[in-house]
Amino acid sequence: MLQEERQNIIINQINLHHKVLTTDLSKLLNVSLDTVRRDLHELEESGRIVKVHGGAVSKSFHIPFQQPKVYAREEKKEVAHKALSIFKDGMNVLMGGGTIMLELARIIPKNHKGTVFTVSPLVALEIAQRSNIRVILIGGEVSHDAYVCTGPTVISQLSELHVDIAFIGANGLSVKDGLTDHDWDVVQVKKALMKAADRTVVMCISEKMDISQKLVVNPLRAIEILITELSPTDKRMQKYAKTMKVL
Amino acid sequence: MLQEERQNIIINQINLHHKVLTTDLSKLLNVSLDTVRRDLHELEESGRIVKVHGGAVSKSFHIPFQQPKVYAREEKKEVAHKALSIFKDGMNVLMGGGTIMLELARIIPKNHKGTVFTVSPLVALEIAQRSNIRVILIGGEVSHDAYVCTGPTVISQLSELHVDIAFIGANGLSVKDGLTDHDWDVVQVKKALMKAADRTVVMCISEKMDISQKLVVNPLRAIEILITELSPTDKRMQKYAKTMKVL
DNA sequence: ATAAATAATGCACGAATCAGCAAAATAAAA
DNA sequence: TTTTATTTTGCTGATTCGTGCATTATTTAT
């Protein structure tokens, strides 16, 4: 068996399973462990795979080490600042939960006037420090992980609400599935949030783009504006820019 | 299973649930606790997660609780500890707002089971960290000074509620006027809180005793239990002990 | 304060890796 | 073809890595 042939098989296996064990390859290809190891080494040299102890993984599967920089905080702040440009005095605004929304809440000017509805106690507390903003917290069962109000109470209150614009965060956004999330309760709430608003602004860091979670909140067309830390001219944004405004 | 694979699963779990327990991961991944711990350690070293006692949480998810300087903190803690003795597993409890209530929330055991209703976002967030307690936040307009939900929404939701016991703080308590307060909105909420509960526990530090505020919440007879930092045998408590239980 | 749960540390064992070397296979030259 | 050079493969021993266990500390709950 040719070396090249072997290495192609290895690449195929990795594409298939995202990972591969050195011992398995040895058996599969009927060559010694050393040969496999050497193959893996070459494939890594040419940057096609990532070698790990015991085998190798595909490049996409391998999450590169993120340097000690604080996790995506700066990106989120960047997103928040962009969102602030749509945040006008006198608006009736609905805000979801999550860390991005909290960043947005933090940078809202102290003298801003308006009304903010939110399902997040954290956002509510932050904004309540601004004396010219009425803060209405939509109450319900507080989820233990996301610290957001969920449940039928929230849904029914939101169904009686109508605001200009809703800001919500995203855990998954893709052209195929639209806005997606992994927690059933949260999905229900997000649906209700979007329904209650004329326009929806989705805010997320680019890391969440082209990712689909288990549950669908709404298709792409339900979103009017998308904000990420990337420039609107960035290549990754183009496929979204077709159906919505991006900034 | 490759180490890389395992660590990816851990990251996924954390992204999904925002927090994971070491023991759960051990079972899920079929490896020893030591291995999980080492994985968590490495993931923390590379700055991808934050390790906490018992497991780990997502780095993007740490609550920036502002801890404002609390007046008479020690006395309030003392009151809170006494109140804890009435706080039994399985109870349906209603909690008001204020710093004393927050102290109580803080010392509720992590493994307490039960349901807590509250009008205070701060209390709700504190208690939501206990996974065995259902926390229902009664939503409404968040007051700018006390950070408590107020307004008609709160009143109407409370009118539909019935719980075993309500814990509320006091800004004024006297034999003549009973429980009094100075903020109209807060008074309405406190009335509704007491109406929704079979029994009312009033918690305050002694300096609020024998003081009357502008507005009356309820007369003394509406209160079942009074808790202060003073001993039940203290001279100042005697006149209250005639109509209610004191501790 | 005491008991229980969780974490850190050191050690041992097996598995995986690496480097160097020799045998085998392949390619190139005489 | 034979010879020589080059590449590829397999093997050996030393070393590193990953894991689990036992012990000791630390934290948390009662």
Side-chain angles (χ1 to χ4, degrees), chain A residues 135-184:
Chain A
V135 185
I136 288 93
L137 179 53
I138 316 280
E141 179 159 0
V142 181
S143 79
H144 290 106
D145 43 6
Y147 295 150
V148 167
C149 294
T150 62
T153 330
V154 176
I155 310 295
S156 99
Q157 287 181 82
L158 283 174
S159 72
E160 295 167 7
L161 189 63
H162 179 243
V163 299
D164 304 324
I165 196 164
F167 293 86
I168 65 178
N171 278 314
L173 187 71
S174 69
V175 173
K176 180 167 153 285
D177 297 316
L179 182 64
T180 53
D181 217 305
H182 49 76
D183 187 292
W184 193 84

Side-chain angles (χ1 to χ4, degrees), chain B residues 156-211:
Chain B
S156 101
Q157 285 181 87
L158 283 173
S159 73
E160 296 167 6
L161 188 64
H162 179 240
V163 299
D164 304 325
I165 197 163
F167 293 85
I168 64 177
N171 277 315
L173 186 71
S174 68
V175 175
K176 179 167 154 285
D177 297 315
L179 183 63
T180 54
D181 217 306
H182 48 73
D183 186 295
W184 193 84
D185 284 321
V186 172
V187 168
Q188 305 310 313
V189 171
K190 285 192 174 175
K191 280 186 179 180
L193 287 170
M194 294 176 72
K195 210 167 180 177
D198 285 338
R199 294 185 298 158
T200 297
V201 180
V202 169
M203 302 165 62
C204 67
I205 52 175
S206 62
E207 77 183 51
K208 308 282 187 174
M209 281 169 55
D210 307 323
I211 298 277

Side-chain angles (χ1 to χ4, degrees), chain B residues 61-170:
Chain B
F61 199 66
H62 108 277
I63 306 180
F65 270 126
Q66 72 273 27
Q67 192 145 316
K69 39 193 178 294
V70 177
Y71 179 68
R73 182 86 186 268
E74 289 313 311
E75 288 84 345
K76 288 174 178 173
K77 274 187 178 171
E78 173 65 23
V79 176
H81 273 99
K82 288 189 187 178
L84 204 54
S85 66
I86 334 184
F87 215 103
K88 301 280 198 308
D89 261 16
M91 264 185 175
N92 274 358
V93 171
L94 189 48
M95 292 176 71
T99 46
I100 288 204
M101 222 47 68
L102 203 46
E103 292 297 341
L104 174 55
R106 287 210 179 95
I107 60 171
I108 294 175
K110 298 285 178 199
N111 58 356
H112 182 95
K113 294 173 182 51
T115 306
V116 172
F117 297 81
T118 182
V119 290
S120 160
L122 282 164
V123 168
L125 286 169
E126 178 61 38
I127 302 190
Q129 293 170 29
R130 288 145 188 82
S131 50
N132 295 319
I133 305 184
R134 283 189 70 191
V135 186
I136 287 94
L137 180 53
I138 315 281
E141 177 159 359
V142 181
S143 77
H144 294 278
D145 44 4
Y147 297 141
V148 167
C149 293
T150 61
T153 331
V154 176
I155 309 296
S156 101
Q157 285 181 87
L158 283 173
S159 73
E160 296 167 6
L161 188 64
H162 179 240
V163 299
D164 304 325
I165 197 163
F167 293 85
I168 64 177

Side-chain angles (χ1 to χ4, degrees), chain B residues 1 3 6 31-32 34-35 38 53 109-111:
Chain B
M1 159 124 48
Q3 193 185 34
R6 238 186 9 240
V31 291
S32 72
D34 304 75
T35 303
R38 268 183 283 247
H53 198 90
K110 298 285 178 199
N111 58 356

